Amino acid sequence: WQDAQPRAAKRHLAFAALRQVPVGVTVTAGNSSERAQARHLVQPGGFYVCDRGYVDYDLFTEWQALPCSFIVRVQNNAAYEVAQERPLSAAARAAGVTSDVVLQRLGTAHHRPCAAQPLRVVRVTTDQRHADGTSVELVLVTNRVDLDAELIALAYRYRWTVELFFRWFKCTLGCRHLLSHSENGVQLQVYMALIASLLISLWVGR
């Protein structure tokens, strides 16, 4: 909610991509911070894949301290200092990986060097095109230095399953239109729809 006229709500969802079920949700005003809500939804031991809306270098430090694993897409012009360049396997190249580096520093020179657990940047080209015809490139920051680069690229692809869930949530579960315009009413509708979604998953097994 911004004022009496432009009223909006935002649903922040933690979604288990492999199990295809929601595992956490908060409902806030439409202009609330996604990064602030991520601090409530992320749990120790989890593996989180996020888009550019969650880029916050301090948040990365907090997630490492939990600890949890993460892959986050950053802007293509993100500044970083390379400590080590890793060789690319044939499988990584086939997955579109063009670069795999361990970082000395994420950010410009005024940022702190990476902590004891290093960060890594994997760059991946996609089939999508910019208006000028060049390929869209993903710049992925992760603290999982043990995974093969092609698995980092694959894990990010799974992030899109949450978009399919949002479509299911709106169309199949009937949440395209709100039953109430009050904050409490919106929360009730979201929670009831998520309960229905989980029950359907239990009944049909997928």
Side-chain angles (χ1 to χ4, degrees):
W1 278 256
Q2 296 174 354
D3 56 47
Q5 296 304 317
R7 293 178 294 177
K10 185 182 291 184
R11 180 180 68 251
H12 309 265
L13 188 74
F15 186 73
L18 296 182
R19 292 164 49 205
Q20 295 287 294
V21 293
V23 293
V25 65
T26 58
V27 180
T28 67
N31 58 357
S32 64
S33 168
E34 294 176 339
R35 294 186 292 274
Q37 293 305 310
R39 287 177 163 87
H40 299 296
L41 291 172
V42 168
Q43 299 296 321
F47 191 158
Y48 295 91
V49 182
C50 307
D51 209 346
R52 287 175 291 189
Y54 295 89
V55 174
D56 182 332
Y57 296 164
D58 291 334
L59 188 60
F60 295 171
T61 302
E62 293 177 25
W63 286 352
Q64 285 185 293
L66 271 178
C68 72
S69 302
F70 61 85
I71 300 171
V72 182
R73 184 184 179 187
V74 299
Q75 298 291 342
N76 288 50
N77 60 353
Y80 54 86
E81 184 179 335
V82 176
Q84 176 193 357
E85 186 166 353
R86 297 159 59 111
L88 298 180
S89 66
R93 294 183 187 278
V97 178
T98 58
S99 175
D100 181 7
V101 297
V102 177
L103 302 186
Q104 174 65 35
R105 185 191 311 274
L106 177 61
T108 55
H110 74 273
H111 289 86
R112 296 187 300 272
C114 292
Q117 183 180 4
L119 295 177
R120 173 185 179 193
V121 166
V122 177
R123 302 181 80 102
V124 186
T125 57
T126 70
D127 295 333
Q128 295 178 312
R129 298 284 176 177
H130 294 291
D132 61 2
T134 58
S135 297
V136 173
E137 184 179 50
L138 307 176
V139 181
L140 308 177
V141 173
T142 180
N143 60 346
R144 291 298 299 266
V145 296
D146 59 315
L147 292 180
D148 293 335
E150 63 270 20
L151 294 181
I152 299 296
L154 178 63
Y156 187 79
R157 287 178 57 192
Y158 270 90
R159 195 203 73 81
W160 294 104
T161 59
V162 74
E163 304 296 344
L164 297 177
F165 179 81
F166 286 154
R167 180 175 296 182
W168 151 269
F169 188 88
K170 291 178 181 179
C171 299
T172 306
L173 296 181
C175 290
R176 182 181 295 276
H177 303 289
L178 297 177
L179 302 178
S180 168
H181 288 174
S182 72
E183 183 175 1
N184 188 55
V186 171
Q187 288 180 337
L188 286 173
Q189 182 174 352
V190 168
Y191 296 148
M192 290 297 291
L194 290 176
I195 290 171
S197 177
L198 290 171
L199 288 173
I200 291 170
S201 297
L202 288 172
W203 288 333
V204 302
R206 60 189 177 94

